[in-house]
Structures are given as structure tokens and as C-alpha cells.
Amino acid sequence: MVISLPFMKIKSNRHPKSVPAKPSPSIRHYSSIVLDGPDRAPSRAMLYPVGFKAEDFLKPIVGIASTWSMVTPCNMHIDKLASEAAAGADAAGGKAIIFNTITISDGISMGTEGMKYSLVSREVIADSVETVAGCEGMDGLVAVGGCDKNMPGCLIAIARLNRPAVFVYGGTILPGCLTGTGRKLDIVSVFEAVGAHANKLIDDKELLAIESCAIPGPGSCGGMYTANTMASAIEALGMSLPNSSAQAATSEAKRDDCRRAGAAVVELLKAGIRPRDIMTKKAFENSITVVIALGGSTNAVLHLLAMAHSAGVKLTIDDFTRVGKKVPVIADLKPSGKHLMSELVAIGGIRPLMKILLDAGLLHGDCMTVTGKTMAENLAKVPPYPAGQTIILPLDKPIKKDSHLVILRGNLAPEGGVAKITGKEGLVFTGKAKVFNSEELAMRAILDGSIKKGHVVVIRYEGPKGGPGMREMLGPTAAIMGRGLGKEVALITDGRFSGGTHGFVVGHITPEAYNGGPLALVKNGDTIIIDAHKHELNLGISAQEIKTRRKAWKPMKPRYTRGVLAKYANHVTSASLGAVTDYNLDLSVR
């Protein structure tokens, strides 16, 4: 049979008898450039083998960015979720194309040189999603992410492209269980068991039992660690469908979330709603508010700054202080609390929490979301948490009356540092410095018992440029907790922390040591004062002594001179700016 199209005639026995009317060019703004007209026949020819039919060339192309891999349980199921999103887009009148990007595993690489690639992967993911969508003329996007760098990486790309898009969280893992005890486990349980083992609190057999059953299947780490923090932040931003952040990875609810996300992108194309219409300054304030209420990860500061930069929104670390003054911590979730994300899912997820915050005037209800409705409209009929639940506390009986994410400044952090202080550790710590020029050296000292009560562990030359890559310090902080020193030892670094970290910790210290920041000048035995009341981080020596030490300081040579780590170190900005790699580029016009 012969089919007539506006630009060609095709003879084939696999095409339908009729072709849908040509949709509005506005919803095929990018794909029409790649696929329409006689001269684009080679482009169309390349797509028949991957499943296109003639009528598909008249549909908007919806890219499905999948972060699937077998590198980590966080992402091992995402290929199936991507297929569900594709089916949803196709059923709604789009044509889906699934493509992959990379992922790494923090949990596996933590404490090794490999961890230096973790934050770098955020940029690689962002660049790759932008590259594929830009190259192939995709009109809209669904991005499905699991492990924590996937999420900001996808959102950075979505903001750069500014094409209608929805983010889908891959979902939280279910808890492991230690046989015979009923004790619920997650990955942080294993890290802390390492410290307990070093302190002879558990033996080899118990350590093996914990490691072998802590991770029971697919999904992201189970507490309010960075993955669940960022999923919640993105939902609060308006870039995920309601409840996407609070579903088990293996649930039917998550599969339905994916199908609805595919359909939602087609509706966003029709409505002309683009990411930057949603990712406004007020929307980022909503994200900060929800992260604080949940007691979320310090990484949220780094990632939200980077996402805002790509969206052309002026967000600074001082916005976290401004918003944090009025928002309490009300979620009793791990790592500093008792409960896992799966338990929060069981009582309704974060939506009732957001309704509480909205009703208290702490959220901007007029922000647009990917549903095409405002935040207030999305939350209007959300029921409250069940009576008697103990995971989310009342606003008037919080865990902490203001933010646990405390931005500190002082002579040790002139451009800022980020502390995670819930109040359980106390709000002021003064101690003597024990200085290490790498994470490995610090870890060795913690495990061999060299770190004692009253010490402030200083880990430096681990910043974005100095590491390079700004490694997370879950190993040392978990080892401190495992040795029973969580309230008696502090740790500060120009690196960063896993969302699983808790204790008296300060990261993201800027300027970093590699750039000659004051952290490079600290000596063993110096007094360090961390004061969350005053938002200060100070070195207890005179300004003259700092000046003298600075004159004697010599820069370190780059640790890498070839490859992705060298390129990253050459381009990355300060952590106080989000550790982005395109800061000097004008992203206001795309």
C-alpha cells in the first residue's frame, strides 16, 4: 500500500492505512528539525530499525533517560522502569526513545580512590543526557534515576535543555534484616559495623552476617540519605509527579509512577510548560524547606546550588540560612533518627508533611509543577498521617526548632562550610586538631585508636579541585560512630559527607586547602571551635599567626594530569557555588 505524508511517499506493507493529522509544530519543535522534509530521509531511515513506523514521525519524540546498570542495586531495576515510562509516553500520543547514561556506586567506592569519580559522575550524567537529547532532537524527556548523583545530574541536564520533562525516582530499597534478631539494616549499618569491629564490639562472624543481609534487593539506600533526600527535594521542586519520592523500588506504585510520567511529558508539551517555568527561586525555596523538615543530607546544598545554576536561578548558601531560620526538623529518620524511608512510605510518604508545611505558611503554594497544577492544588486533598505515627513530629514539638543544615563562616571557612547538626550531638564543639592530608590517613588513625575524645579530625586536600572530586567521608564518620565517639569527636573537611553521615561534622569548607584556604594552615594541636549558635567555624590562633603560616605554605601539585579527573579539577568551581563545571558560561539564554 502507499501512504501519503506531507513530505514523502513510502511504499511499505508494515504501515497503517491512515496517518494521524499533523500535530501542532510547537510540540515537535526539535524533532521536526531532525525528521521533517525530503532532505531528512536518511534520519528517518535510521529510525525504522529501532521500531519507528511512518506515523511515529508525526509524534513528539520523548526521550527516556535511563540510568540502568548492574553496577549498583540502586539502579539494577531501572531498565524495567524506563520501559514503563516509554509505554506511558507512547500511549499518550508521543514516541518514546530509551537511552542510557552512566552511574557509579558510592557505597562500593566509598573510602577508596575510586570515590573521587562520584561527584564527577554528576557532570558526566548531565553532559550525556544533554548531549543525546540535543543531538537527536528530542522534544521532551523523562529521566529515571536511582543512586544519588543520577538525580541532580538529570535535573541539571533538564534545566539546561529546558524542554518539557518529568523526573522519576527509582525508589527506595526495602530494609535488610539480621537473622534471629529482627534488627533492620541498611548500608550505613555495615559502615558502622566496621567501626564496631575495629573496637572489638562485634566479631568477624557478626560483621559477615551484617554485610551479607543488609541489602536485600533493588532500590536506593533506605534512610534519609542523599538519594531519598534528593528525590524528596525534586518532588518539592515540582519536577516529579506527586509521591514519586516515596515509593518502594519494586512496587506497582513505582511502575504506575513511570507510566504516568511518560504521559505527563506529552501533556506538558501540549501545555507549553517547560522546566524553567517550574524551577523558580520560590520552587527551590520549597525544596530547601522540605529537605530541612526531613533532616536531609548536606549534599542537598551542593546539588540544589548546581541545579539552580543550570536553571538560571540565583541561589546561594545564604539562602539555606535564611530559609532554615523558620523551618524545623520534624522527621525522625535515619541516619540521626530511628526510622527508614520504607516506614515513611507506609504512612503516606512526604505529601502529608508538605501539606503540614503549606498550611503553616512554610511552602509557596503558587509554584507550578509537572502536573500542570500548582503545589497547593496538588496538596489540597492530601489526607493527614495516621494517628499515633511517630515518624513525623508536630511542628510545635520538633526534633530541632530550626535547620540542621548550618552554614558556618569564620577564619577557617571565609566562604562557608556546611555542618549537619541535629542538636543531638550538641551545638558547640571545641577540640584539638588532628590533621590528615587524605581520607585514608584519617581512617587508619580512627581504626587504630589514635583518635580520642576531644579531637577534631581535619581531613584536607579532598575538595573539588584538591581531591579532585570532593570525596564523601562516610567511612571515617561511620567509624567514629562505630567506636562510640559520635558525641566526643568532631570531623571537618573540604570534602563532603554521605547522606548516611551523622555526628558533629562540617564539610564543604571553602576556600578548599588546595586553593590555599585556611584549612591548609591548620596544625596538630590547634584549637578548633565549631559554634552552630553563632554559625561560626574558627581556628583558635591569631591573625598574625595565620599570616605567617600562609607565607610558608606551598601549593600541592595536581594529583592527576590526564583523564576525566584532571579535566574536572581544571574546570570545577568552589563547593560554595555548587561545584559546577560551567560556571563562567552564560546559561540564561538557551
Side-chain angles (χ1 to χ4, degrees):
M1 68 178 170
V2 176
I3 267 190
S4 294
L5 294 177
F7 45 81
M8 60 180 175
K9 290 185 177 181
I10 299 174
K11 188 174 183 179
S12 172
N13 60 6
R14 58 180 177 177
H15 298 148
K17 295 180 180 179
S18 62
V19 172
K22 190 171 183 179
S24 167
S26 63
I27 70 170
R28 296 188 61 246
H29 181 79
Y30 299 97
S31 61
S32 63
I33 297 169
V34 175
L35 298 176
D36 289 5
D39 60 317
R40 303 313 304 166
S43 303
R44 297 189 294 274
M46 293 289 287
L47 291 170
Y48 283 108
V50 299
F52 271 62
K53 297 179 180 179
E55 61 266 28
D56 293 330
F57 296 115
L58 298 180
K59 300 173 183 176
I61 304 300
V62 178
I64 313 293
S66 167
T67 59
W68 171 84
S69 85
M70 292 301 287
V71 166
T72 169
C74 307
N75 294 63
M76 63 186 286
H77 62 305
I78 284 177
D79 55 337
K80 297 179 179 64
L81 298 185
S83 294
E84 297 284 1
D90 290 345
K95 177 58 181 173
I97 298 177
I98 300 174
F99 64 95
N100 261 85
T101 184
I102 62 138
T103 191
I104 54 86
S105 171
D106 293 351
I108 296 171
S109 63
M110 194 77 70
T112 73
E113 197 79 354
M115 187 64 193
K116 293 181 178 180
Y117 290 89
S118 173
L119 189 57
V120 177
S121 78
R122 185 189 75 181
E123 307 305 299
V124 176
I125 291 164
D127 291 349
S128 64
V129 172
E130 179 189 4
T131 297
V132 175
C135 176
E136 303 303 324
M138 292 171 175
D139 300 300
L141 284 169
V142 176
V144 190
C147 197
D148 53 8
K149 304 316 164 302
N150 303 163
M151 287 176 264
C154 289
L155 265 292
I156 288 168
I158 284 169
R160 290 177 186 170
L161 290 160
N162 201 29
R163 303 177 190 188
V166 175
F167 178 79
V168 175
Y169 178 39
T172 188
I173 198 169
L174 297 175
C177 184
L178 190 59
T179 304
T181 69
R183 177 184 163 198
K184 292 181 178 180
L185 301 175
D186 60 16
I187 186 61
V188 176
S189 307
V190 188
F191 279 98
E192 293 185 357
V194 171
H197 181 267
N199 207 25
K200 303 189 185 306
L201 298 175
I202 63 173
D203 58 17
D204 291 349
K205 184 179 179 181
E206 187 171 352
L207 179 61
L208 178 60
I210 291 170
E211 75 171 67
S212 63
C213 63
I215 312 294
S220 297
C221 299
M224 189 47 64
Y225 310 144
T226 304
N228 283 317
T229 297
M230 290 312 302
S232 301
I234 292 167
E235 182 174 333
L237 187 68
M239 287 302 298
S240 289
L241 293 177
N243 220 36
S244 183
S245 68
Q247 296 160 339
T250 55
S251 65
E252 179 55 39
K254 178 50 62 184
R255 291 186 286 274
D256 182 61
D257 181 38
C258 293
R259 291 189 290 270
R260 290 187 298 109
V265 171
V266 178
E267 294 305 311
L268 289 169
L269 281 162
K270 293 175 182 176
I273 299 172
R274 300 185 297 169
R276 293 195 198 177
D277 299 325
I278 297 169
M279 299 170 70
T280 63
K281 180 67 174 281
K282 290 200 296 184
F284 277 101
E285 290 175 351
N286 283 348
S287 285
I288 294 170
T289 296
V290 169
V291 167
I292 292 169
L294 289 168
S297 168
T298 54
N299 279 318
V301 178
L302 198 71
H303 295 326
L304 289 173
L305 289 173
M307 289 157 53
H309 167 67
S310 291
V313 172
K314 292 182 179 179
L315 193 72
T316 73
I317 56 173
D318 294 322
D319 288 311
F320 287 82
T321 299
R322 176 177 56 81
V323 174
K325 289 179 180 178
K326 58 185 180 180
V327 180
V329 179
I330 58 173
D332 189 15
L333 294 166
K334 286 191 172 187
S336 55
K338 295 191 290 287
H339 298 282
L340 291 166
M341 188 65 181
S342 56
E343 296 172 87
L344 182 60
V345 170
I347 64 167
I350 72 165
R351 298 187 73 209
L353 167 70
M354 292 171 67
K355 183 69 160 54
I356 291 168
L357 296 170
L358 178 69
D359 290 345
L362 296 174
L363 281 185
H364 301 293
D366 58 344
C367 290
M368 180 56 63
T369 74
V370 292
T371 65
K373 298 179 181 179
T374 66
M375 182 65 71
E377 289 172 325
N378 287 343
L379 296 174
K381 296 182 180 179
V382 172
Y385 288 118
Q389 64 83 26
T390 59
I391 302 173
I392 303 299
L393 280 62
L395 285 174
D396 60 354
K397 295 180 181 178
I399 293 167
K400 190 171 185 285
K401 67 177 182 179
D402 54 9
S403 180
H404 66 300
L405 299 176
V406 183
I407 307 301
L408 305 177
R409 282 193 170 86
N411 66 5
L412 253 183
E415 295 176 9
V418 181
K420 184 179 184 180
I421 300 173
T422 64
K424 294 180 179 180
E425 311 85 354
L427 296 173
V428 179
F429 191 100
T430 300
K432 298 296 182 181
K434 292 284 286 185
V435 182
F436 304 93
N437 287 346
S438 73
E439 179 185 357
E440 288 85 352
L441 292 172
M443 188 68 171
R444 198 176 305 155
I446 295 165
L447 292 178
D448 71 17
S450 299
I451 302 303
K452 309 289 186 183
K453 179 180 179 179
H455 282 154
V456 178
V457 178
V458 178
I459 305 178
R460 63 190 180 191
Y461 296 104
E462 291 285 8
K465 286 184 178 291
M470 204 179 179
R471 285 193 284 185
E472 291 181 346
M473 303 293 167
L474 180 56
T477 58
I480 288 169
M481 298 301 294
R483 291 188 70 89
L485 296 170
K487 294 183 179 180
E488 285 135 1
V489 168
L491 188 150
I492 68 172
T493 180
D494 51 8
R496 61 196 175 95
F497 299 112
S498 162
T501 290
H502 57 126
F504 220 115
V505 297
V506 185
H508 307 203
I509 293 174
T510 54
E512 62 176 287
Y514 184 83
N515 287 341
L519 201 66
L521 310 179
V522 181
K523 293 182 178 181
N524 283 326
D526 285 346
T527 297
I528 292 175
I529 308 100
I530 306 167
D531 191 329
H533 282 303
K534 296 180 179 179
H535 288 229
E536 289 182 355
L537 175 63
N538 286 306
L539 181 61
I541 62 175
S542 68
Q544 181 58 48
E545 176 62 16
I546 291 175
K547 187 176 180 180
T548 300
R549 291 185 188 184
R550 184 173 299 285
K551 285 182 179 179
W553 177 77
K554 293 182 180 179
M556 287 182 66
K557 291 182 179 180
R559 286 173 167 162
Y560 292 83
T561 57
R562 293 287 187 276
V564 67
L565 291 179
K567 287 192 288 186
Y568 181 83
N570 191 47
H571 288 280
V572 70
T573 62
S574 164
S576 62
L577 299 174
V580 299
T581 53
D582 60 357
Y583 193 77
N584 293 321
L585 302 179
D586 180 9
L587 297 179
S588 60
V589 179
R590 173 64 60 175

